Amino acid sequence: MVVVVTDHGGNGTGRGGQDDLPETRYVFQILKVPGLPHSELANASNVDILPSTFKYMEIQPDSSWEWDGIPLF
């Protein structure tokens, strides 16, 4: 499994004060999972990366962790 993500985008070289910009709020993520056909998940979120990684590794998360995300596949 290969995962490429960024935690935030930006505009120019400034720091802070850009939370309302689309370039900051909407960022890319790429997952390549062996055996899974190509697809686009427009509503995927960065909080879905950890649950997806655990599913791929066949690790059952503890329900007390209360993750916000869900596996993407």
Side-chain angles (χ1 to χ4, degrees):
M1 178 178 194
V2 176
V3 179
V4 179
V5 297
T6 182
D7 64 342
H8 62 82
N11 187 348
T13 59
R15 307 274 309 164
Q18 299 181 2
D19 292 344
D20 60 344
L21 297 176
E23 301 93 327
T24 301
R25 297 187 60 81
Y26 303 102
V27 298
F28 72 88
Q29 55 189 10
I30 301 168
L31 274 73
K32 176 59 180 151
V33 180
L36 191 67
H38 168 79
S39 65
E40 289 188 28
L41 303 167
N43 293 325
S45 174
N46 278 0
V47 298
D48 300 326
I49 299 298
L50 186 59
S52 299
T53 304
F54 267 54
K55 181 175 180 180
Y56 176 74
M57 297 176 66
E58 299 179 354
I59 300 172
Q60 183 65 37
D62 189 303
S63 61
S64 69
W65 298 344
E66 299 180 4
W67 288 347
D68 292 330
I70 59 170
L72 296 172
F73 54 88

